[in-house]
């Protein structure tokens, strides 16, 4: 029997706010342990939470970016559990009235577009971090109370690669929207992976197995590449799968069972009595709407359509947004947008990296790149010379035309001058000249190379080829 995988992801994302969710402590990674704490995020008795409005705005903004609706009312609930990383013994989250729900993400996958529906995105709070030493353990509460958004997908994902593509698309959207920096190294994105398998055309879903707390997208992919065949093998050998939670071990590359039962009622969810339900007003929603940005996929498609760029170039301009914006500020001014993209992606980017500088520090006027493309396209300079001109432009500024003028780099298209270079090349290389006459066509390239050398790269190469060929065929030799 053939089986298929069914996957739904719960993705936790730390929001990009200055302060924590319920107090004024800094939301900042990497500080010494327990330096961003106060009675509120330490869960001391008698304190009251004050909601971080920016976190509410960023969650609503995420809803808009993910095509969700924003209901008229959201509320917070206590999810009760006991663990040292959560001193209050409950986590504030949104249980049955989340900030936003019912959307979808479209993303590129296997040469086409795929869609994963979004169940909901709700707001909660991060917890502290446990550290285990030789003889004791410690908790760092700097992370406790950091605004955390959970994005729950419908079980629309069908394999490890699709999960990976979805997560990357989601991350790109959140980074674009300014919702989160999604820095994986800093643990800003974590993911619970729910996966089941079922016979290919079965209607019902199989037993859900949850792999908890994955902190890298490649880890998610690897875990699924292991877990899906494992589940299929269990069923094929006549075994049964039961709803359970597993742990991925990155070192051994396997998942192992942690526990088998866990239901919502175990958490005894109830509404947070210290917080009013949140009811967004029209102006509040309008302010959030004004922060909606063009999605990365739409930007890519637009770059391809408007400037006739290949997918790879367009993707580069999506991932490197400032570079894309820079390109876009110039593209309407050029007749050759593809060549302009090449200059920016290949040459300019390399120079910026090499000199450890950025686009704000350019010595030349950006429009100089448009000029440079034009000089090449009109045959005024060769593309090889253009590299030198660009190099000088980058170091000392100045317009390409003036550099060409000052250094006498203009391409020589004057037939007389090229003829004399051709004569010299033929005279100095009787062997290759004879080879060509004897039918060895490739010898022409060698001679052409010599002409370019003699002209210091300035001869118009097409013209040089023509003249050489004519001279060799007509037997006119000096
Ligand atoms: P819980 O209440 O245990 O968190 P949910 O029904 O809310 O479970 O689903 C959590 C996640 O698991 C969602 O992303 C959902 O799409 C996914 N999911 C639910 N059932 C299955 C299943 N049988 N197989 C795979 N994924 C599932
Ligand atoms: Mg869950
Ligand atoms: Zn605090």
């Amino acid at each position: 029997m053939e089986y298929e995988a069914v996957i739904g992801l719960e993705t936790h994302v730390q929001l990009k706010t200055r302060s924590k969710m319920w107090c004024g402590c800094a939301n900042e990674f990497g500080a010494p342990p327990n330096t961003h704490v106060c009675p509120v995020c330490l869960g001391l008795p008698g304190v009251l939470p004050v909601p971080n409005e920016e976190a509410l705005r960023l969650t609503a903004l995420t809803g808009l970016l993910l095509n969700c609706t924003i209901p008229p009312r959201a509320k917070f609930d206590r999810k009760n559990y006991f663990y040292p990383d959560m001193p209050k013994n409950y986590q504030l989250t949104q249980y049955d009235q989340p900030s936003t729900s019912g959307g979808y993400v479209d993303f590129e996958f296997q040469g086409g577009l795929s869609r994963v529906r979004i169940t909901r995105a709700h707001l909660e709070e991060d917890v502290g971090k446990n550290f285990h030493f030789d003889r004791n353990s410690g908790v760092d509460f700097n992370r406790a109370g950091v605004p955390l958004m959970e994005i729950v997908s419908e079980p629309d994902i069908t394999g490890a690669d699709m999960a990976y593509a979805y997560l990357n698309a989601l991350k790109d959207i959140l980074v674009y929207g300014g919702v989160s920096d999604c820095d994986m190294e800093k643990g800003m994105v974590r993911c619970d992976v729910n996966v089941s398998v079922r016979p290919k055309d079965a209607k019902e879903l199989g037993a859900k197995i949850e792999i908890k707390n994955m902190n890298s997208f490649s880890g998610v992919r690897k875990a699924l590449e292991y877990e899906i065949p494992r589940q299929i093998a269990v069923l094929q050998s006549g075994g049964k799968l039961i709803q359970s939670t597993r742990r991925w071990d990155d070192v051994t590359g396997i998942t192992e069972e942690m526990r088998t039962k866990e239901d919502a009622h175990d958490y005894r969810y109830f509404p947070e009595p210290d917080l009013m339900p949140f009811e967004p007003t029209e102006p509040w929603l309008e302010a959030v709407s004004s922060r909606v940005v063009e999605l990365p996929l739409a930007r890519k498609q637009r770059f391809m359509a408007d400037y006739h760029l290949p997918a790879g170039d367009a993707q580069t301009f999506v991932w490197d947004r400032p570079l894309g914006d820079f390109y876009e500020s110039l593209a309407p001014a050029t007749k050759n947008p593809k060549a302009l993209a090449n200059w920016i992606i290949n040459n300019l980017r390399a120079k910026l990296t090499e000199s450890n500088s950025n686009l704000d520090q350019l010595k030349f006027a950006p429009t100089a790149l448009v000029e440079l493309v034009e000089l090449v396209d009109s045959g005024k300079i060769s593309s090889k010379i253009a590299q030198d001109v660009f190099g000088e432009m980058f170091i000392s500024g100045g317009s390409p035309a003036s550099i060409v003028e000052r250094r006498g780099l203009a391409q020589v298209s004057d037939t007389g001058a090229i003829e004399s270079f051709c004569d010299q090349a033929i005279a100095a290389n009787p062997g290759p000249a004879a080879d060509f006459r004897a039918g060895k066509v490739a010898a022409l390239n060698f001679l052409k190379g010599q002409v370019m050398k003699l002209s210091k790269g300035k001869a118009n190469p097409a013209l040089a080829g023509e003249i050489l060929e004519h001279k060799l065929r007509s037997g006119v030799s000096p």
Side-chain angles (χ1 to χ4, degrees), residues 140-157:
D140 175 9
F141 288 110
N142 284 348
R143 200 179 67 179
V146 163
L148 193 67
M149 180 176 61
E150 176 172 338
I151 300 169
V152 182
S153 87
E154 291 290 310
D156 290 347
I157 300 165

Side-chain angles (χ1 to χ4, degrees), residues 10 150 192 194 208 210 212 262:
E10 295 163 281
E150 176 172 338
D192 297 336
N194 302 272
K208 183 183 81 169
E210 181 167 11
K212 279 267 186 218
E262 176 185 285

Side-chain angles (χ1 to χ4, degrees), residues 364-384:
F364 60 86
T367 47
L369 282 170
V370 175
E371 270 179 60
L372 191 62
V373 169
E374 176 62 26
L375 287 176
V376 176
D377 285 351
S378 64
K380 192 88 192 281
I381 56 175
S382 69
S383 44
K384 178 127 191 318

Side-chain angles (χ1 to χ4, degrees), residues 425-426 428-438 440 442-444 446-447 450 472:
I426 292 170
N429 300 282
D435 287 349
F436 179 80
R437 289 193 186 100
K440 209 174 138 199
L444 188 70
F446 173 81
L447 292 167
Q450 298 308 303
L472 292 166

Side-chain angles (χ1 to χ4, degrees), residues 247-280:
R247 190 181 83 82
W248 165 252
D249 188 326
D250 210 30
V251 179
T252 55
I254 63 167
T255 61
E256 51 194 11
E257 190 164 286
M258 291 162 70
R259 53 179 182 266
T260 52
K261 204 137 175 69
E262 176 185 285
D263 273 319
H265 62 249
D266 296 340
Y267 290 120
R268 209 171 52 92
Y269 282 98
F270 65 84
E272 162 63 45
D274 288 338
L275 287 167
M276 295 287 284
F278 178 68
E279 295 178 355

Side-chain angles (χ1 to χ4, degrees), residues 33 88 146 168 197 209 229 249 253 289 299 319 322 384 399 409 442:
K88 290 187 294 204
V146 163
N168 278 299
V197 297
I209 289 174
D249 188 326
S289 303
R299 178 170 162 103
W319 280 329
K384 178 127 191 318
S399 84
L409 294 174

Side-chain angles (χ1 to χ4, degrees), residues 20 23 25 37-38 40-41:
K20 290 191 184 180
C23 60
C25 291
V37 292
C38 73
V40 173
C41 53

